[in-house]
Amino acid sequence: MRLETEKDELRGRESDAHFPRIAFALYIGVADGLYLVTLRMCNIWRFLFFPLLLPVLVQAADQPAAETITPAVPALPDPITPPDAVTLPPVTPITPPTGPVNPHEIMSGMPEGVEMKIDGAVTALDQTMKRFKVTGPIRLKTNRNEEVYANYGTLDLEKKIYTLEGDVSVYAGPLLQRGDKVVYNLTSGQLDTTNLSVSHDPILLESGSFQVQRDDSGAEIFVAYGAGITTHDVEKPNYWLRADRTRYFPDEKIVFDDLRVYVGDTQVFWLPYLSQPLNSELGFLSIPGGRTNWGVFLLNTYGVMLGGGDDDTPGAEAPWLLSKWHVDLRSRRGAGLGVDLFDTRVENRENYGWLRLYYTNDLDPSLGRSGIPRGPVDPNRYRMEFLHRFPLSFQDGNPDAEYSLNFDLHLLSDNHFLEDFDPQFYRESAQPDNAMYLTRRTDTTLLTGLARLRMNDFYRADSRSPEVIFDMIRRPILGSGIYHEGSVSAGFLSENMSDPTRDTALAPLLILPSNDPDFSRLLQQVGRYEQLLIQQIRALPPGPQRDAILAQLIEPEYFRFHTYQEFSTQFTVNDWLHLSPRVGAGYSRYDNVSGPIVDDQRTSFSAGIEASFKMKKDFAAFGNRDWGIDGVRHTLQPYVSWSMLSTSNLGENFPVIDRLTFTTRPVPINPGRFTAIDSMQNWNLARIGVRNRLITHRDEDSHEWLFMDTYLDAYVDDPELDRQFSNLYNDIIWSPLPWLAVDFQTQFPIINSGSGYNEFTTAVRYMPTKDFEFSVAQNLLSNHPFLRNSNRVHTTAFKRINENWGVGLLHQWEFDDATLELEQYTFHRSYENWIVSAGLTRRDNRLRSEYGVMLNFTLKDFPSVSVPFRIDAQ
């Protein structure tokens, strides 16, 4: 509808262009023996068909007032007699008043809301005192809060028109218009800003014909014909976006008709139509580059807002659905199509609120990044990802209850899709979960109805259909000093081995010799948990124990009811020793659904206490500006946390589903926080530690300059490694200055053999000068019983050489096998308002290396706008 209206407006302008209404006509004729000269302004159709002659009396300035003029008249045929001479009456010349006019007298004609300040002289142009000439600086403020500045002007009070000229500047909020002339109509309250250039940060707009329009809500729309837009704010910009018609909606979008892109005076790009939102997530984005497993690629994205009202002018109902449409071309993979939909009404949009769909017909699905051989992969490859939360308006009598329906779904065509087409997500979650859950939340409880689905059968995953969980947070009982917290859950649980592994890899893995090359190749294709179970099965003779582990490997399934309730309190002894005792009990029941397991149940009892005290010392006079210290408070907090759990054992070969994952961090010692329910075993330990804090003043607030937590576990009963003492743990965060930060985590044995392994994780970010910044991170792990040894170092650096040049690098080393896993080199060149970046990258995947090139063009002064030729690195 809007497009048709705009077409009608265009047709109307074309019609007027064929029949201009204003013209000047010169008439020469004879009347009463006088030559008549008339200069008239008329409509052309009247000029053609209805000329109207009016006499004008002309008298020379140096002739006497009473002089008789006898015109020379040609002889006329008889019997006509020439007329007598005509005597003209004297005419008094009009003399304009001299001297300046009081500006306050002419301001009486100003309408309400319009102010005018004149610093120069005002001179009347005639005796009517309706037209004035202003020769000094002028400031005009309209009733629409527009401010106009000019060097001189003409005021016509009869026509209610103010013409301001000479270095004209028009300010309207953040908008600046510049030019030579502007006309303000007091009757309509409109400024005629034709031929003015426009500056609205960050854009500049020049136009041969320029209009400011307003929609029904009063929002401004700038319409320009034959306009050019740039962000290069210099006398001669080095690039322009030009169009026959340009509509600029401030803070929303720019719409171009017949768009042409110029670099200098050379046209380099053309589009018949483009609606370019002023948002980096919207508009057209093209990403070229090259990768080993993709070949040469061109990724194209167009973002547009959907939803809301039908009218796209400001003031209408705001669109809320951000859509990004993808058309990707890869020389080794083929074409790919997709769309991403984001609900912008969701506040925490980085965690949920989107639907992603993608499909490609892969030209070579066997081409991987790591070099590990693959089985057959269907060339029809796709992905569906849906993460969203829908608030529900159920009423159950509790005004604080909030209901919501949540989705976390990831449907993939095969086990290699993420590795091939979304490597960043693949590194974070190679085997994503699939779950739907309904929640009821109050201030103290959370009720969840969970359905975990097995949508992808090519990796190991558990399913729950359904499971109901009721959690109660820690809260006082009837206002007393005794607190309660707990949880209750019940559901059907099952876990499935991946179908390709079970069908093609399991049998060979159970019978092949360990030195067979196929055994190593197949073992790498299964998860770490499955590798351990397969090795246990291979070490056992045929029998019930082997069958039980095999059932645990392939498909365990059972119904489980579990509850745990805990009571605690806290008090202080002698105003310095803080004690927090707790006691709890739990019960679990397992009922067989299918498989070899038998019904089982167990009870658990837990007790614990935490004791701590604090010592403080203020050093108010101590300061060091270079290290960001303005007075220091040192807080020292020794603590001891004792925890005991007694539970009946499910058996070594019970097919656990909620189990501990392999990690280097200490596990929770509170059973209420222990989520690996099926792996709970007896423990009895004390966690002994001390916390150190250094607090200083910064920006009229407190700043934690240094935090350090040092602790270890002393075991009476160790559920994991049969230890007497764990490693000594150190967690350190040091942030002395905005340009220096250190994160340091260590663990190593100090008593007996500790946990038997060492780990050092360090991250440092340092900016010694304003032109140089680097960061170093190291992860060192050695002698862990389940995880592989690693000594990985990650470095990044950027050096700004001068105003125009900068270089950067990224390296990732694995020193355990002397491999440079990742190297990337980038070069940055600044061209006034552009930054051009180019880079090379190489990744060593042990069996195969992959290479890539990167190219990026960024507008420095246009950061929120994606113009058609912007290129980002993938």
Side-chain angles (χ1 to χ4, degrees), residues 342-610:
F342 299 90
D343 188 346
T344 59
R345 299 170 298 183
V346 177
E347 295 182 359
N348 195 15
R349 191 153 51 95
E350 64 272 13
N351 293 328
Y352 62 93
W354 66 78
L355 169 67
R356 291 190 175 104
L357 304 173
Y358 195 84
Y359 170 81
T360 180
N361 187 274
D362 199 341
L363 299 178
D364 189 0
S366 65
L367 183 61
R369 303 177 64 211
S370 63
I372 298 176
R374 297 178 176 178
V377 178
D378 193 311
N380 294 301
R381 310 185 69 182
Y382 54 83
R383 174 189 190 181
M384 187 281 289
E385 181 179 287
F386 184 44
L387 276 79
H388 200 33
R389 175 179 297 169
F390 295 96
L392 305 176
S393 57
F394 289 164
Q395 300 294 329
D396 60 3
N398 187 343
D400 297 329
E402 297 179 357
Y403 287 84
S404 64
L405 182 60
N406 304 267
F407 295 88
D408 184 1
L409 304 176
H410 305 263
L411 177 63
L412 304 173
S413 60
D414 56 84
N415 199 28
H416 305 287
F417 181 93
L418 295 177
E419 177 189 359
D420 292 342
F421 298 101
D422 195 348
Q424 180 177 355
F425 185 82
Y426 176 75
R427 287 191 293 269
E428 298 172 356
S429 180
Q431 299 177 351
D433 286 337
N434 288 284
M436 299 185 300
Y437 48 100
L438 176 69
T439 62
R440 177 189 182 273
R441 181 189 300 271
T442 68
D443 293 338
T444 58
T445 64
L446 176 63
L447 176 64
T448 304
L450 172 65
R452 181 169 291 174
L453 312 176
R454 187 175 182 246
M455 299 177 61
N456 305 307
D457 59 7
F458 37 78
Y459 58 79
R460 190 176 189 91
D462 66 281
S463 59
R464 299 156 195 252
S465 31
E467 183 179 22
V468 179
I469 307 134
F470 182 60
D471 294 306
M472 295 157 282
I473 68 169
R474 187 169 180 263
R475 65 202 188 284
I477 300 176
L478 301 176
S480 66
I482 300 177
Y483 296 83
H484 168 260
E485 64 178 296
S487 66
V488 180
S489 65
F492 293 89
L493 284 68
S494 64
E495 188 175 39
N496 299 88
M497 189 177 188
S498 64
D499 288 353
T501 302
R502 182 178 57 191
D503 297 340
T504 62
L506 180 58
L509 285 171
L510 295 179
I511 62 176
L512 284 175
S514 58
N515 58 355
D516 191 301
D518 287 339
F519 176 79
S520 299
R521 177 181 61 83
L522 293 173
L523 195 64
Q524 290 180 340
Q525 298 181 18
V526 301
R528 183 64 175 162
Y529 174 73
E530 293 173 326
Q531 291 180 17
L532 293 177
L533 293 181
I534 289 173
Q535 291 172 356
Q536 292 180 28
I537 294 174
R538 289 170 58 91
L540 292 173
Q545 188 176 5
R546 179 186 173 101
D547 295 340
I549 298 178
L550 185 60
Q552 181 176 349
L553 173 67
I554 297 176
E555 191 174 356
E557 184 177 5
Y558 47 78
F559 174 84
R560 185 186 69 195
F561 171 83
H562 173 76
T563 181
Y564 180 80
Q565 308 297 323
E566 183 178 280
F567 299 89
S568 62
T569 187
Q570 55 186 8
F571 54 89
T572 303
V573 179
N574 294 331
D575 294 331
W576 65 275
L577 180 61
H578 304 283
L579 300 176
S580 300
R582 58 176 176 80
V583 62
Y587 172 77
S588 302
R589 177 170 179 82
Y590 297 84
D591 293 316
N592 183 26
V593 174
S594 65
I597 74 165
V598 295
D599 298 346
D600 204 348
Q601 62 182 349
R602 64 172 175 172
T603 58
S604 59
F605 173 78
S606 173
I609 186 171
E610 180 173 336

Side-chain angles (χ1 to χ4, degrees), residues 157-462:
L157 296 180
E158 184 175 2
K159 295 182 179 180
K160 300 291 185 181
I161 291 177
Y162 289 52
T163 304
L164 308 180
E165 302 179 75
D167 195 19
V168 175
S169 299
V170 180
Y171 294 88
L175 181 71
L176 169 63
Q177 302 175 68
R178 299 294 300 273
D180 296 326
K181 178 181 177 180
V182 67
V183 178
Y184 181 68
N185 191 313
L186 282 177
T187 303
S188 63
Q190 296 285 342
L191 270 175
D192 183 359
T193 57
T194 302
N195 294 323
L196 293 188
S197 63
V198 178
S199 173
H200 190 287
D201 189 36
I203 73 165
L204 300 174
L205 186 150
E206 291 187 351
S207 173
S209 177
F210 183 80
Q211 300 176 1
V212 180
Q213 302 176 358
R214 294 181 182 270
D215 66 359
D216 296 338
S217 67
E220 291 181 331
I221 306 171
F222 304 99
V223 182
Y225 299 93
I229 285 183
T230 185
T231 62
H232 195 194
D233 191 7
V234 297
E235 183 178 358
K236 294 182 178 181
N238 56 20
Y239 84 96
W240 285 96
L241 306 176
R242 300 190 181 276
D244 290 348
R245 183 175 70 159
T246 303
R247 284 165 292 161
Y248 174 47
F249 300 79
D251 302 324
E252 289 195 16
K253 63 183 176 181
I254 305 176
V255 180
F256 301 95
D257 294 330
D258 194 16
L259 171 68
R260 301 173 300 278
V261 180
Y262 289 84
V263 175
D265 297 327
T266 304
Q267 180 177 335
V268 298
F269 192 82
W270 174 84
L271 278 177
Y273 175 86
L274 177 65
S275 177
Q276 186 62 43
L278 299 181
N279 186 320
S280 59
E281 293 186 301
L282 303 178
F284 181 68
L285 181 64
S286 183
I287 305 175
R291 282 183 178 173
T292 302
N293 65 320
W294 283 4
V296 178
F297 64 81
L298 181 64
L299 310 181
N300 301 287
T301 303
Y302 186 78
V304 63
M305 296 300 297
L306 304 175
D310 296 333
D311 191 355
D312 65 350
T313 59
E317 182 183 358
W320 56 269
L321 186 63
L322 168 62
S323 64
K324 292 185 177 182
W325 303 83
H326 303 281
V327 179
D328 301 332
L329 303 175
R330 304 176 179 91
S331 62
R332 303 188 70 179
R333 296 289 191 179
L337 303 174
V339 61
D340 301 337
L341 303 175
F342 299 90
D343 188 346
T344 59
R345 299 170 298 183
V346 177
E347 295 182 359
N348 195 15
R349 191 153 51 95
E350 64 272 13
N351 293 328
Y352 62 93
W354 66 78
L355 169 67
R356 291 190 175 104
L357 304 173
Y358 195 84
Y359 170 81
T360 180
N361 187 274
D362 199 341
L363 299 178
D364 189 0
S366 65
L367 183 61
R369 303 177 64 211
S370 63
I372 298 176
R374 297 178 176 178
V377 178
D378 193 311
N380 294 301
R381 310 185 69 182
Y382 54 83
R383 174 189 190 181
M384 187 281 289
E385 181 179 287
F386 184 44
L387 276 79
H388 200 33
R389 175 179 297 169
F390 295 96
L392 305 176
S393 57
F394 289 164
Q395 300 294 329
D396 60 3
N398 187 343
D400 297 329
E402 297 179 357
Y403 287 84
S404 64
L405 182 60
N406 304 267
F407 295 88
D408 184 1
L409 304 176
H410 305 263
L411 177 63
L412 304 173
S413 60
D414 56 84
N415 199 28
H416 305 287
F417 181 93
L418 295 177
E419 177 189 359
D420 292 342
F421 298 101
D422 195 348
Q424 180 177 355
F425 185 82
Y426 176 75
R427 287 191 293 269
E428 298 172 356
S429 180
Q431 299 177 351
D433 286 337
N434 288 284
M436 299 185 300
Y437 48 100
L438 176 69
T439 62
R440 177 189 182 273
R441 181 189 300 271
T442 68
D443 293 338
T444 58
T445 64
L446 176 63
L447 176 64
T448 304
L450 172 65
R452 181 169 291 174
L453 312 176
R454 187 175 182 246
M455 299 177 61
N456 305 307
D457 59 7
F458 37 78
Y459 58 79
R460 190 176 189 91
D462 66 281

Side-chain angles (χ1 to χ4, degrees), residues 20-67:
R21 302 191 62 189
I22 305 300
F24 291 95
L26 181 68
Y27 297 87
I28 303 177
V30 179
D32 294 333
L34 297 176
Y35 290 101
L36 305 180
V37 181
T38 303
L39 183 64
R40 296 193 56 227
M41 183 171 65
C42 64
N43 295 336
I44 277 188
W45 62 274
R46 293 179 180 176
F47 169 68
L48 294 176
F49 301 106
F50 303 102
L52 178 63
L53 304 180
L54 298 178
V56 175
L57 303 179
V58 181
Q59 177 175 342
D62 57 349
Q63 284 184 320
E67 182 178 352

Side-chain angles (χ1 to χ4, degrees), residues 631-872:
V632 172
R633 167 174 286 184
H634 178 210
T635 302
L636 182 70
Q637 184 185 17
Y639 65 90
V640 176
S641 182
W642 171 72
S643 177
M644 182 274 296
L645 174 68
S646 175
T647 181
S648 52
N649 200 339
L650 288 176
E652 181 181 355
N653 299 322
F654 187 87
V656 297
I657 294 178
D658 285 338
R659 57 183 175 270
L660 282 174
T661 57
F662 304 114
T663 179
T664 62
R665 302 304 299 167
V667 298
I669 59 175
N670 186 331
R673 309 287 189 271
F674 200 90
T675 58
I677 298 173
D678 300 334
S679 295
M680 294 178 71
Q681 300 183 44
N682 294 339
W683 72 61
N684 191 347
L685 62 91
R687 183 161 293 174
I688 307 168
V690 59
R691 299 185 183 99
N692 280 275
R693 284 185 170 90
L694 293 180
I695 309 296
T696 187
H697 295 289
R698 184 169 298 174
D699 298 329
E700 299 181 356
D701 202 353
S702 297
H703 173 72
E704 190 169 71
W705 194 81
L706 174 68
F707 171 80
M708 181 169 61
D709 189 7
T710 303
Y711 57 97
L712 60 76
D713 293 339
Y715 295 95
V716 177
D717 190 358
D718 181 12
E720 294 183 78
L721 301 174
D722 195 22
R723 297 164 292 183
Q724 291 182 325
F725 294 93
S726 71
N727 287 341
L728 178 68
Y729 297 93
N730 281 284
D731 299 335
I732 302 173
I733 299 175
W734 183 40
S735 53
L737 298 162
W739 42 265
L740 175 63
V742 178
D743 191 347
F744 190 42
Q745 294 180 345
T746 68
Q747 59 169 306
F748 48 84
I750 62 169
I751 303 176
N752 297 335
S753 59
S755 298
Y757 60 90
N758 299 275
E759 182 185 28
F760 296 88
T761 301
T762 308
V764 180
R765 184 187 66 84
Y766 183 45
M767 189 174 182
T769 69
K770 65 178 182 179
D771 296 326
F772 180 58
E773 179 180 5
F774 72 89
S775 66
V776 178
Q778 182 188 24
N779 299 91
L780 173 64
L781 178 65
S782 61
N783 300 322
H784 194 278
F786 302 113
L787 302 178
R788 297 184 179 94
N789 291 344
S790 176
N791 185 8
R792 179 169 293 168
V793 177
H794 187 95
T795 62
T796 62
F798 179 81
K799 171 62 178 177
R800 182 176 178 266
I801 300 174
N802 52 40
E803 293 183 354
N804 297 324
W805 284 98
V807 296
L809 64 85
L810 183 152
H811 282 170
Q812 182 172 297
W813 291 87
E814 178 52 78
F815 287 100
D816 187 67
D817 58 359
T819 301
L820 179 57
E821 295 181 326
L822 177 65
E823 55 182 322
Q824 179 176 293
Y825 307 94
T826 57
F827 306 90
H828 309 270
R829 176 68 165 93
S830 175
Y831 293 92
E832 295 181 347
N833 60 313
W834 287 92
I835 296 178
V836 180
S837 302
L840 301 173
T841 182
R842 184 186 75 89
R843 182 181 293 273
D844 187 344
N845 296 312
R846 305 305 194 279
L847 299 178
R848 174 183 296 164
S849 294
E850 58 177 324
Y851 300 85
V853 296
M854 180 178 63
L855 189 62
N856 181 32
F857 293 90
T858 304
L859 279 169
K860 291 191 295 186
D861 299 327
F862 217 167
S864 62
V865 181
S866 300
V867 295
F869 40 87
R870 173 183 172 184
I871 302 171
D872 285 344

